[in-house]
Amino acid sequence: MKGETYQLIKKVTLKKLLNAFVVFATFYLSKWLKKPVHYGNPISLSIEPTTSCNLRCPECPSGLRSFTRPTGMLQKEQFSRIIDELKATLMYLTFYFQGEPYLHPNFLAMVKEASDKGIYTSTSTNAHYLTDATAQQTVASGLDKLIVSLDGITQEVYQQYRVGGHINKVFEGVENVLRWKKKLNSSTPEVVFQFLVVKPNEHQIDDAKQLAKDLKVDRIVFKTAQIYDYENGSPLIPTKQEYSRYTEYAEGKYRFKGELERNCWRMWHSAVITWDGKVAPCCFDKDAKHVLGAIKNDYIGFLNIWHSQSYTNFRKSLLEGRENIDICKNCTEGINIFN
């Protein structure tokens, strides 16, 4: 976390700070007034390079090939227009929504473009495409954070969730990046193992911590898994309650832990843009059902959508009750589930 904070601070400008203050202030004003008040531009943004993926993870729409929306690749020209519009105030850019970013042929060129314009950049990958050459290009691109999905430290366990994946490719890819960081004397990208805790891998948590130390990655984080049909149980729900979003209240019956607050910080400071230009409220809307606008070839501008009536109406519905919105019912935003 120290590395991330330092890299962010290096790229902060007075204009970005003022924008963040305005967004922060209007969020808390909205909570107090119980009606949406919103000024300022997004502080962070997630852009989807592609919905294509090489794996078939059981709780992922990309892996299941279950999207109703089409599969495709983000046009680099469209990306450049979005970044040019937001670069003065945007602090944090995530190159991920669904799919495997490294399948996009211009992925690292887009990372470099955003990095050169003073934006903190991050991505999440299954690390199967981090060859020696790609690892070198990754470090040279200026990428600030590389999140690597681990989810198991042996092939037997890893493949139970990362279906079709090979754990040795993950290790090899991470080692390639770490080697090139050293060769190029680069402090970035921060390499983070992300361990999605499910029942088949929860017994490897301590071993995963040791592995992170042995490989000398910057840190490891443990993430709770979103299970779509959790009410009647799932073989993926962990037995370790501190790593589960769900609790068993009767035999074979589960419910979501915690209570949903009548607000959502994400809807004031961030947004998601799909590969084909649809603007979705957040990363929990994986199939982009709640489209708040679309950036098309004629490019009407992202900020026209960000400040549109459709966005205002959605923010209003959150303040009225997140329990009434389907994508919010399984969301951990504002909830401490580690209890």
mmCIF file of all heavy atoms in Angstrom, residues 264-283:
data_model
loop_
_atom_site.group_PDB
_atom_site.id
_atom_site.type_symbol
_atom_site.label_atom_id
_atom_site.label_comp_id
_atom_site.label_asym_id
_atom_site.label_seq_id
_atom_site.Cartn_x
_atom_site.Cartn_y
_atom_site.Cartn_z
ATOM 1 N N CYS A 264 -23.706 5.187 -1.998
ATOM 2 C CA CYS A 264 -22.611 4.425 -2.588
ATOM 3 C C CYS A 264 -21.551 5.392 -3.106
ATOM 4 O O CYS A 264 -21.784 6.124 -4.071
ATOM 5 C CB CYS A 264 -23.104 3.533 -3.728
ATOM 6 S SG CYS A 264 -21.780 2.548 -4.475
ATOM 7 N N TRP A 265 -20.394 5.375 -2.444
ATOM 8 C CA TRP A 265 -19.298 6.269 -2.798
ATOM 9 C C TRP A 265 -18.883 6.089 -4.245
ATOM 10 O O TRP A 265 -18.516 7.043 -4.927
ATOM 11 C CB TRP A 265 -18.150 6.020 -1.827
ATOM 12 C CG TRP A 265 -16.811 6.599 -2.174
ATOM 13 C CD1 TRP A 265 -15.639 5.934 -2.269
ATOM 14 C CD2 TRP A 265 -16.499 7.970 -2.434
ATOM 15 N NE1 TRP A 265 -14.601 6.796 -2.581
ATOM 16 C CE2 TRP A 265 -15.112 8.061 -2.693
ATOM 17 C CE3 TRP A 265 -17.260 9.154 -2.494
ATOM 18 C CZ2 TRP A 265 -14.469 9.254 -2.990
ATOM 19 C CZ3 TRP A 265 -16.616 10.347 -2.791
ATOM 20 C CH2 TRP A 265 -15.245 10.379 -3.039
ATOM 21 N N ARG A 266 -18.936 4.837 -4.750
ATOM 22 C CA ARG A 266 -18.497 4.579 -6.119
ATOM 23 C C ARG A 266 -19.251 5.429 -7.137
ATOM 24 O O ARG A 266 -18.681 5.849 -8.138
ATOM 25 C CB ARG A 266 -18.695 3.102 -6.474
ATOM 26 C CG ARG A 266 -17.842 2.139 -5.670
ATOM 27 C CD ARG A 266 -17.924 0.748 -6.249
ATOM 28 N NE ARG A 266 -17.340 -0.240 -5.352
ATOM 29 C CZ ARG A 266 -17.002 -1.461 -5.713
ATOM 30 N NH1 ARG A 266 -17.203 -1.854 -6.950
ATOM 31 N NH2 ARG A 266 -16.483 -2.306 -4.845
ATOM 32 N N MET A 267 -20.524 5.655 -6.888
ATOM 33 C CA MET A 267 -21.336 6.379 -7.873
ATOM 34 C C MET A 267 -21.049 7.873 -7.883
ATOM 35 O O MET A 267 -21.541 8.603 -8.740
ATOM 36 C CB MET A 267 -22.820 6.138 -7.604
ATOM 37 C CG MET A 267 -23.317 4.798 -8.097
ATOM 38 S SD MET A 267 -23.120 4.592 -9.875
ATOM 39 C CE MET A 267 -24.186 5.876 -10.481
ATOM 40 N N TRP A 268 -20.261 8.336 -6.940
ATOM 41 C CA TRP A 268 -19.854 9.748 -6.930
ATOM 42 C C TRP A 268 -18.439 9.940 -7.479
ATOM 43 O O TRP A 268 -18.135 11.005 -7.988
ATOM 44 C CB TRP A 268 -19.957 10.308 -5.508
ATOM 45 C CG TRP A 268 -21.267 10.981 -5.230
ATOM 46 C CD1 TRP A 268 -21.512 12.327 -5.134
ATOM 47 C CD2 TRP A 268 -22.538 10.348 -5.028
ATOM 48 N NE1 TRP A 268 -22.837 12.571 -4.883
ATOM 49 C CE2 TRP A 268 -23.509 11.368 -4.811
ATOM 50 C CE3 TRP A 268 -22.972 9.024 -5.010
ATOM 51 C CZ2 TRP A 268 -24.841 11.103 -4.580
ATOM 52 C CZ3 TRP A 268 -24.311 8.753 -4.773
ATOM 53 C CH2 TRP A 268 -25.220 9.780 -4.566
ATOM 54 N N HIS A 269 -17.588 8.918 -7.353
ATOM 55 C CA HIS A 269 -16.190 9.156 -7.717
ATOM 56 C C HIS A 269 -15.674 8.311 -8.871
ATOM 57 O O HIS A 269 -14.584 8.576 -9.378
ATOM 58 C CB HIS A 269 -15.287 8.949 -6.498
ATOM 59 C CG HIS A 269 -14.832 7.529 -6.295
ATOM 60 N ND1 HIS A 269 -15.617 6.579 -5.690
ATOM 61 C CD2 HIS A 269 -13.675 6.903 -6.618
ATOM 62 C CE1 HIS A 269 -14.966 5.424 -5.644
ATOM 63 N NE2 HIS A 269 -13.786 5.593 -6.203
ATOM 64 N N SER A 270 -16.429 7.290 -9.326
ATOM 65 C CA SER A 270 -15.879 6.414 -10.357
ATOM 66 C C SER A 270 -16.964 5.909 -11.304
ATOM 67 O O SER A 270 -18.158 6.026 -11.024
ATOM 68 C CB SER A 270 -15.173 5.216 -9.712
ATOM 69 O OG SER A 270 -16.107 4.392 -9.034
ATOM 70 N N ALA A 271 -16.506 5.320 -12.414
ATOM 71 C CA ALA A 271 -17.418 4.733 -13.393
ATOM 72 C C ALA A 271 -16.692 3.629 -14.135
ATOM 73 O O ALA A 271 -15.471 3.471 -14.015
ATOM 74 C CB ALA A 271 -17.904 5.798 -14.380
ATOM 75 N N VAL A 272 -17.441 2.859 -14.897
ATOM 76 C CA VAL A 272 -16.900 1.779 -15.723
ATOM 77 C C VAL A 272 -17.283 2.024 -17.170
ATOM 78 O O VAL A 272 -18.430 2.373 -17.468
ATOM 79 C CB VAL A 272 -17.446 0.408 -15.260
ATOM 80 C CG1 VAL A 272 -17.073 -0.680 -16.251
ATOM 81 C CG2 VAL A 272 -16.926 0.070 -13.876
ATOM 82 N N ILE A 273 -16.312 1.856 -18.063
ATOM 83 C CA ILE A 273 -16.589 1.970 -19.494
ATOM 84 C C ILE A 273 -16.250 0.633 -20.143
ATOM 85 O O ILE A 273 -15.126 0.142 -20.024
ATOM 86 C CB ILE A 273 -15.776 3.097 -20.152
ATOM 87 C CG1 ILE A 273 -16.089 4.445 -19.481
ATOM 88 C CG2 ILE A 273 -16.081 3.175 -21.651
ATOM 89 C CD1 ILE A 273 -15.277 5.602 -20.027
ATOM 90 N N THR A 274 -17.218 0.033 -20.807
ATOM 91 C CA THR A 274 -17.002 -1.255 -21.462
ATOM 92 C C THR A 274 -16.219 -1.050 -22.756
ATOM 93 O O THR A 274 -16.053 0.066 -23.243
ATOM 94 C CB THR A 274 -18.344 -1.932 -21.790
ATOM 95 O OG1 THR A 274 -19.058 -1.143 -22.757
ATOM 96 C CG2 THR A 274 -19.208 -2.084 -20.537
ATOM 97 N N TRP A 275 -15.753 -2.154 -23.321
ATOM 98 C CA TRP A 275 -14.918 -2.091 -24.526
ATOM 99 C C TRP A 275 -15.625 -1.387 -25.683
ATOM 100 O O TRP A 275 -14.977 -0.756 -26.523
ATOM 101 C CB TRP A 275 -14.499 -3.502 -24.964
ATOM 102 C CG TRP A 275 -15.637 -4.327 -25.522
ATOM 103 C CD1 TRP A 275 -16.443 -5.180 -24.831
ATOM 104 C CD2 TRP A 275 -16.093 -4.347 -26.870
ATOM 105 N NE1 TRP A 275 -17.386 -5.744 -25.656
ATOM 106 C CE2 TRP A 275 -17.191 -5.246 -26.931
ATOM 107 C CE3 TRP A 275 -15.702 -3.708 -28.048
ATOM 108 C CZ2 TRP A 275 -17.889 -5.515 -28.108
ATOM 109 C CZ3 TRP A 275 -16.395 -3.973 -29.220
ATOM 110 C CH2 TRP A 275 -17.474 -4.861 -29.248
ATOM 111 N N ASP A 276 -16.969 -1.467 -25.721
ATOM 112 C CA ASP A 276 -17.721 -0.847 -26.819
ATOM 113 C C ASP A 276 -18.355 0.479 -26.422
ATOM 114 O O ASP A 276 -19.261 0.964 -27.092
ATOM 115 C CB ASP A 276 -18.768 -1.807 -27.373
ATOM 116 C CG ASP A 276 -19.711 -2.357 -26.308
ATOM 117 O OD1 ASP A 276 -19.445 -2.134 -25.096
ATOM 118 O OD2 ASP A 276 -20.705 -3.013 -26.666
ATOM 119 N N GLY A 277 -17.872 1.094 -25.337
ATOM 120 C CA GLY A 277 -18.251 2.466 -25.012
ATOM 121 C C GLY A 277 -19.452 2.642 -24.112
ATOM 122 O O GLY A 277 -19.873 3.781 -23.871
ATOM 123 N N LYS A 278 -20.011 1.569 -23.590
ATOM 124 C CA LYS A 278 -21.140 1.715 -22.662
ATOM 125 C C LYS A 278 -20.620 2.161 -21.298
ATOM 126 O O LYS A 278 -19.589 1.683 -20.824
ATOM 127 C CB LYS A 278 -21.906 0.400 -22.532
ATOM 128 C CG LYS A 278 -22.620 -0.045 -23.797
ATOM 129 C CD LYS A 278 -23.425 -1.321 -23.537
ATOM 130 C CE LYS A 278 -24.190 -1.748 -24.781
ATOM 131 N NZ LYS A 278 -23.299 -2.209 -25.856
ATOM 132 N N VAL A 279 -21.340 3.068 -20.665
ATOM 133 C CA VAL A 279 -20.964 3.556 -19.345
ATOM 134 C C VAL A 279 -21.854 2.875 -18.318
ATOM 135 O O VAL A 279 -23.063 3.080 -18.289
ATOM 136 C CB VAL A 279 -21.095 5.085 -19.245
ATOM 137 C CG1 VAL A 279 -20.719 5.566 -17.839
ATOM 138 C CG2 VAL A 279 -20.204 5.769 -20.283
ATOM 139 N N ALA A 280 -21.240 2.038 -17.492
ATOM 140 C CA ALA A 280 -21.962 1.304 -16.457
ATOM 141 C C ALA A 280 -21.645 1.912 -15.097
ATOM 142 O O ALA A 280 -20.591 2.532 -14.920
ATOM 143 C CB ALA A 280 -21.565 -0.175 -16.480
ATOM 144 N N PRO A 281 -22.524 1.746 -14.121
ATOM 145 C CA PRO A 281 -22.307 2.406 -12.827
ATOM 146 C C PRO A 281 -21.098 1.906 -12.061
ATOM 147 O O PRO A 281 -20.400 2.687 -11.424
ATOM 148 C CB PRO A 281 -23.607 2.121 -12.056
ATOM 149 C CG PRO A 281 -24.228 0.951 -12.744
ATOM 150 C CD PRO A 281 -23.840 1.068 -14.177
ATOM 151 N N CYS A 282 -20.835 0.596 -12.097
ATOM 152 C CA CYS A 282 -19.706 0.074 -11.331
ATOM 153 C C CYS A 282 -19.372 -1.337 -11.780
ATOM 154 O O CYS A 282 -20.048 -1.923 -12.628
ATOM 155 C CB CYS A 282 -20.011 0.094 -9.829
ATOM 156 S SG CYS A 282 -21.117 -1.228 -9.300
ATOM 157 N N CYS A 283 -18.330 -1.913 -11.173
ATOM 158 C CA CYS A 283 -17.825 -3.230 -11.586
ATOM 159 C C CYS A 283 -18.764 -4.372 -11.231
ATOM 160 O O CYS A 283 -18.563 -5.503 -11.689
ATOM 161 C CB CYS A 283 -16.445 -3.475 -10.982
ATOM 162 S SG CYS A 283 -16.431 -3.492 -9.176
#
